[in-house]
């Protein structure tokens, strides 16, 4: 995928996720997501906040988190999640068309982030969403390449991951195979899609 198509996919994923969120009940907003310790509300807040954060805001948040990136992400999402649900949906819709990345974020990171977090919301609620296959390949490459914070290569050492619906594979060893979108979620440290894969158990 070229840069234009990646941005178009990010836009469509953000718009579709905003539509999904707009139709949720109050109980669904408080349902646990696939992100440890976050409900749907915190995930939605994180998705709407990232591209709106300026460098100086990120630096301030990093200091308040005492130098922990993960703590910074958690604290900023929880603070943003205090806003009304309608505002969170509106903010997510408002960044459709934006070409601004969060500080230190790459375009591949941004694509992966919105697709994984959309599934973090949908899967626990029993809502069927599918990743575009070509975009899922880009996300899988990104997750395999980067170390922190997912450490996919370390966690999945000794395995060869093979997509059954796309021309994608990575690693060496015992084979884990299945749909590329299920592999993306496992690469991101989620276990919800493991039943869709062969060669791996929870």
């Amino acid at each position: 995928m070229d840069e234009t198509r990646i941005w178009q996919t990010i836009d469509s994923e953000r718009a579709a996720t905003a539509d999904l969120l707009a139709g949720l009940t109050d109980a669904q907003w408080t349902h646990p997501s696939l992100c440890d310790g976050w409900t749907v509300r915190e995930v939605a807040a994180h998705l709407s906040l990232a591209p709106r954060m300026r460098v100086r805001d990120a630096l301030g948040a990093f200091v308040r988190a005492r130098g922990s990136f993960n703590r910074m992400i958690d604290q900023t999402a929880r603070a943003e999640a205090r806003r009304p649900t309608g505002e969170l949906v509106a903010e997510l819709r408002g960044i459709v068309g934006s070409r601004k990345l969060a500080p230190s974020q790459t375009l591949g990171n941004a694509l992966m982030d919105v697709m994984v977090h959309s599934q973090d919301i949908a899967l626990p609620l029993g809502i069927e969403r599918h990743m575009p296959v070509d975009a899922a390949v880009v996300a899988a490459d990104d997750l395999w390449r980067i170390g922190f914070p997912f450490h996919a290569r370390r966690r999945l050492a000794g395995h060869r991951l093979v997509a059954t619906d796309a021309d994608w594979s990575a690693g060496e060893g015992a084979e884990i195979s299945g749909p590329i979108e299920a592999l993306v979620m496992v690469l991101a440290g989620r276990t919800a899609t493991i039943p869709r894969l062969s060669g791996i158990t929870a």
Side-chain angles (χ1 to χ4, degrees):
M1 296 178 73
D2 61 19
E3 183 174 324
T4 298
R5 288 183 61 210
I6 290 175
W7 274 120
Q8 289 171 343
T9 303
I10 291 172
D11 285 342
S12 63
E13 288 291 307
R14 285 172 173 169
T17 303
D19 288 344
L20 185 159
L21 291 167
L24 298 184
T25 65
D26 290 343
Q28 287 174 315
W29 274 90
T30 62
H31 195 283
S33 74
L34 295 185
C35 294
D36 191 28
W38 281 5
T39 66
V40 167
R41 177 177 290 275
E42 281 78 38
V43 180
H46 170 72
L47 280 176
S48 70
L49 176 63
R52 295 187 287 113
M53 184 173 285
R54 297 169 295 182
V55 172
R56 67 182 181 184
D57 296 330
L59 288 174
F62 192 66
V63 170
R64 289 190 294 275
R66 303 189 303 280
S68 168
F69 176 81
N70 286 334
R71 189 181 296 120
M72 178 190 75
I73 296 298
D74 182 65
Q75 290 177 350
T76 54
R78 290 183 186 279
E80 186 76 1
R82 298 189 186 106
R83 300 175 64 182
T85 56
E87 290 186 13
L88 295 176
V89 173
E91 291 287 6
L92 187 54
R93 289 197 199 283
I95 59 174
V96 173
S98 169
R99 295 298 179 259
K100 185 177 183 298
L101 296 169
S104 79
Q105 190 180 50
T106 68
L107 185 55
N109 295 161
L111 177 68
M112 176 271 295
D113 193 60
V114 68
M115 292 204 304
V116 169
H117 283 316
S118 295
Q119 295 293 322
D120 287 336
I121 293 169
L123 288 174
L125 295 176
I127 297 172
E128 187 171 323
R129 293 267 324 262
H130 292 290
M131 298 179 187
V133 171
D134 54 351
V137 167
V138 174
D141 282 337
D142 191 62
L143 285 162
W144 188 255
R145 177 184 56 80
I146 63 177
F148 179 83
F150 302 104
H151 304 289
R153 282 174 293 176
R154 185 179 69 192
R155 287 188 295 101
L156 296 165
H159 293 89
R160 176 171 174 77
L161 281 65
V162 180
T164 54
D165 57 350
D167 183 16
W168 187 87
S169 62
E172 296 181 357
E175 184 172 301
I176 297 171
S177 61
I180 186 66
E181 64 181 12
L183 291 171
V184 165
M185 297 302 287
V186 168
L187 286 164
R190 278 60 165 177
T191 59
T193 60
I194 284 178
R196 299 180 62 193
L197 302 171
S198 62
I200 185 173
T201 57

